[in-house]
């Protein structure tokens, strides 16, 4: 490689970490995502939060205003957090990138009254197997008997304003979860007691209903990413895009389209791409890059707005010919400046990994 060209590649650009939410059914995954989205919309200036396709981007400034004193924007240089909108470990384990998990970091939601359940154990197995860093959101703290809710407050603040009895009951439930994590082989503690998040799992008490503890959860996700994942977030933002297909969908006027999470580089209208398909790699060309229109905009007949190009990390809908056989979970690669055969080879290699995985799990 030519060192001059490499220096031009601008390796200093940082992308947004991709966050997935996992946990047992009814423990509050959807509510948690809704709460984060809702708070971000009300905190942020119009347009600060962008509803991507299949994902929600919360920029650093919005994280910071939601988290108050817990997140000082000046302490961070990662651009924010990108939450994958489809919760659950099925989507988590089928969404891969370069042989690993698509998500860089995960939130494991556990109902504080219900504790560990079968799907909690399953999720833990998957997180361990994929080596994905995670935090535990001990959810529904507002259901503690006698709880006096402090909407959207940080945990310490709401905790201090509870009766001794309520505090004690919450503590018992939290320590039960910490014990269960330890039985599963994870050293865990309440997040403010964790010094080293690499060897220990932080437990964040939250309520997806009242918003209590959400500032803390965002602060921990931001802090973990900044501290332990910064080098992985350093990408060549202008390089050829790499992504994973969330879903293949027919859209009126566009035919089959791909909902994609882009985790590296840029995709531009007109780019030649290679996509994993049922019968093998599909070579095609991007006709349009689409996002839902912002909620604040007046509804026109067009549901989507068109973008010229999209940078990682983000969720985008991609319209192109010949996508009927494209597969959810498959890789998407922009060819730009590379040999088509090499890119096809990369996509084939990833497709064969997906097949091995499906067989192992099936
Ligand atoms: P999912 O299956 O994990 O996505 O769980 P949902 O988000 O659908 O939540 C299941 C139920 O629990 C719904 O009725 C929610 O309203 C309720 N729920 C979720 N989070 C909370 C919470 O923090 N407090 C209370 N009281 N209820 C919650």
């Amino acid at each position: 490689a030519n060192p001059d060209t490499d220096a031009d590649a601008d390796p200093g650009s940082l992308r947004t970490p991709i966050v997935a939410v996992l946990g047992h059914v009814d423990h509050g995954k959807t509510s948690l995502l809704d709460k984060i989205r809702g708070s971000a919309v009300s905190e942020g200036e119009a347009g600060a939060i962008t509803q991507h396709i299949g994902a929600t981007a919360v920029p650093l400034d919005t994280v910071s205003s939601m988290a108050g004193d817990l997140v000082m924007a000046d302490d961070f240089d990662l651009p924010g957090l990108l939450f994958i909108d489809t919760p659950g470990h099925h989507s988590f384990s089928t969404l891969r990138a370069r042989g690993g998990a698509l998500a860089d970091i995960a939130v494991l939601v556990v109902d504080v009254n219900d504790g560990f359940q079968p799907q909690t154990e399953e999720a833990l197995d998957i997180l361990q197997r994929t080596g994905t860093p995670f935090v535990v959101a001990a959810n529904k703290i507002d259901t503690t008997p006698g709880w006096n809710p402090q909407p959207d407050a940080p945990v310490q603040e709401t905790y201090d304003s509870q009766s001794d009895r309520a505090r004690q009951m919450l503590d018992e439930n939290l320590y039960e979860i910490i014990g269960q994590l330890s039985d599963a082989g994870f050293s865990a503690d309440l997040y403010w007691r964790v010094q080293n998040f690499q060897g220990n799992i932080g437990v964040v008490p939250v309520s997806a209903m009242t918003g209590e503890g959400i500032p803390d959860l965002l602060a921990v996700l931001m802090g973990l990413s900044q501290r332990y994942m910064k080098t992985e977030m350093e990408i060549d933002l202008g390089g050829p895009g790499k992504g994973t297909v969330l879903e293949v969908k027919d859209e009126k006027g566009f035919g089959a389209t791909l909902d994609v999470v882009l985790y590296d580089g840029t995709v531009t209208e007109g780019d030649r791409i290679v996509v994993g398909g049922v019968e093998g790699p599909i070579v095609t060309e991007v006709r349009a890059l689409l996002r839902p229109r912002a909620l604040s905009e007046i509804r026109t007949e067009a549901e989507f707005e068109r973008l010229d190009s999209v940078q990682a990390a983000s969720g985008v809908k991609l319209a192109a010919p010949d996508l009927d056989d494209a597969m959810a979970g498959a890789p998407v690669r922009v060819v730009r400046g590379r040999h088509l055969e090499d890119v096809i080879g990369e996509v084939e290699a990833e497709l064969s990994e997906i097949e091995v995985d499906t067989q192992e799990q099936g």
Side-chain angles (χ1 to χ4, degrees), residues 17-20 92 103-107 132-135 220-221 224-225 229:
I18 300 168
V19 187
F92 179 89
D104 301 298
I105 185 166
V107 178
T132 308
F134 66 97
V135 292
V220 174
L221 288 172
L224 261 176
S225 308
M229 280 183 289

Side-chain angles (χ1 to χ4, degrees), residues 140-161:
K140 308 197 189 185
I141 59 170
D142 64 292
T143 61
T144 307
W147 192 259
N148 172 25
Q150 312 290 316
D152 303 323
V155 168
Q156 306 271 6
E157 204 176 302
T158 187
Y159 186 84
D160 287 344
S161 69

Side-chain angles (χ1 to χ4, degrees), residues 212-223:
E212 292 164 290
I214 301 294
D216 307 70
L217 182 62
L218 293 171
V220 174
L221 288 172
M222 213 54 228

Side-chain angles (χ1 to χ4, degrees), residues 50-53 289-293 303-307 310-311 314-317:
T50 25
Q51 187 60 57
H52 288 202
I53 290 281
L289 294 164
L290 307 164
R291 283 254 167 92
R293 282 192 180 281
E303 192 181 343
F304 299 108
E305 65 177 323
R306 281 178 84 141
L307 307 170
V310 175
Q311 274 189 344
S314 59
V316 67
K317 183 182 285 293

Side-chain angles (χ1 to χ4, degrees), residues 24-31 87 139-140 142-143 206-209:
H24 193 72
V25 64
D26 282 346
H27 280 196
K29 300 178 290 295
T30 312
S31 308
N139 191 32
K140 308 197 189 185
D142 64 292
T143 61
V206 301
S207 165
M209 195 75 101

